Amino acid sequence: MAGIKVVVHGALGRMGQEVLRAVTNAPDMEPVGAADGRAQPGMLALPDGSGDIPLSNSLADALSDAQVVVDFSSAAGAMSVLRTASAHHVNAVVGSTGLSDENYAEASKLADDNSVGIIIAPNFAMGAVLLIHLAELAAKYFEYADLTEGHHEAKIDAPSGTAVAIARAVVAGQSAPFKAPKAEQELIAGARGGDYEGVVVHSRRMPGLMAHHEVVFGALGQTLTIKHDSINRESFMPGVTLAVREVVNRTGLTVGLDKIMGL
């Protein structure tokens, strides 16, 4: 049985290398190309030593045999990938964060106009997706919510896309605004963090962190903590391969891994 033919965009980056490894190791997938803006066109050795695939600094040049392109870059990079992939009638799985409502609207139109599938998820770790689901269920029983996320020092956006998704889910699960007490004397500006409709959000950035999210709900005499930690980039790969398998069977835009996990 032929495997799903996959191109990895950003293949020279750390996440791209992990995606390439996961696709190479998946028995029902076949890596057929790689693209990276920093690349010198040529060949790229597969992580398991089983062969080489074409490497290009132009995604369009890498798509001739592809069914799916996987992208973990930036918001701008992701939109460029979606425009290029959809024009070539190639499905796309995107893990880049920081996309705007306008970006999602454009992605939906690109998918519909070109009859391709696009899956965009703020987090591909299944545990993090479950955290979002459980937080929405718990929210209606509490009046206070604090959300803390931590990532490596090079992450460009704050809060993380996953944290924004958690905050939105918490608000969606609540029938009234959350209470976010303001300090009468704020000795250091911003000490209480950001405020998303009463959900107080804090971001940490430092070496040693990968992706960590914790939401704490409070009510009279009790708190409830729901936490998820991604220790390494391997944690995202089962979600990525799940999305690759699913995107070839659907058209249109799908936002969130929960939609294909049955939550």
Side-chain angles (χ1 to χ4, degrees):
M1 177 175 156
I4 301 169
K5 299 181 185 299
V6 181
V7 165
V8 178
H9 180 254
L12 299 185
R14 288 177 292 182
M15 184 61 82
Q17 285 288 297
E18 200 64 56
V19 171
L20 185 59
R21 184 175 295 108
V23 170
T24 301
N25 292 335
D28 56 348
M29 296 180 195
E30 179 187 355
V32 295
D36 195 296
R38 301 167 294 173
Q40 290 293 326
M43 302 300 290
L44 179 66
L46 292 174
D48 65 351
S50 62
D52 302 313
I53 56 174
L55 172 66
S56 176
N57 53 20
S58 168
L59 178 61
D61 293 341
L63 293 178
S64 58
D65 295 325
Q67 293 173 273
V68 181
V69 58
V70 180
D71 169 73
F72 282 83
S73 55
S74 63
M79 293 311 300
S80 178
V81 166
L82 292 180
R83 294 175 191 124
T84 302
S86 61
H88 286 76
H89 302 287
V90 175
N91 307 293
V93 172
V94 171
S96 304
T97 61
L99 297 174
S100 66
D101 290 341
E102 291 77 12
N103 292 150
Y104 282 110
E106 181 183 352
S108 180
K109 188 174 188 305
L110 287 169
D112 292 341
D113 289 351
N114 295 281
S115 298
V116 297
I118 295 175
I119 294 177
I120 302 174
N123 198 312
F124 278 91
M126 293 186 183
V129 178
L130 286 167
L131 184 157
I132 296 170
H133 181 69
L134 295 172
E136 182 172 355
L137 293 177
K140 66 180 179 179
Y141 301 104
F142 295 90
E143 297 176 300
Y144 299 80
D146 267 43
L147 171 60
T148 301
E149 59 92 356
H151 286 79
H152 54 88
E153 75 282 9
K155 185 170 178 58
I156 62 175
D157 54 334
S160 67
T162 299
V164 173
I166 295 169
R168 288 176 174 165
V170 167
V171 169
Q174 178 61 279
S175 58
F178 284 91
K179 298 178 181 178
K182 305 296 183 184
E184 291 186 17
Q185 294 183 346
E186 193 174 58
L187 303 182
I188 298 178
R192 282 286 291 133
D195 187 323
Y196 181 83
E197 298 192 36
V199 180
V200 181
V201 184
H202 313 266
S203 293
R204 287 178 289 148
R205 296 289 179 269
M206 63 183 68
L209 297 179
M210 176 56 64
H212 311 266
H213 296 88
E214 177 182 270
V215 57
V216 180
F217 294 102
L220 187 63
Q222 61 179 313
T223 61
L224 171 66
T225 300
I226 308 175
K227 182 180 180 182
H228 177 263
D229 298 297
S230 282
I231 308 304
N232 55 41
R233 290 176 176 81
E234 287 180 308
S235 65
F236 306 113
M237 294 307 109
V240 170
T241 53
L242 175 66
V244 170
R245 294 183 183 103
E246 182 63 28
V247 77
V248 296
N249 295 317
R250 59 172 64 202
T251 58
L253 173 64
T254 302
V255 179
L257 202 63
D258 57 305
K259 309 299 190 309
I260 60 176
M261 287 175 62
L263 298 178

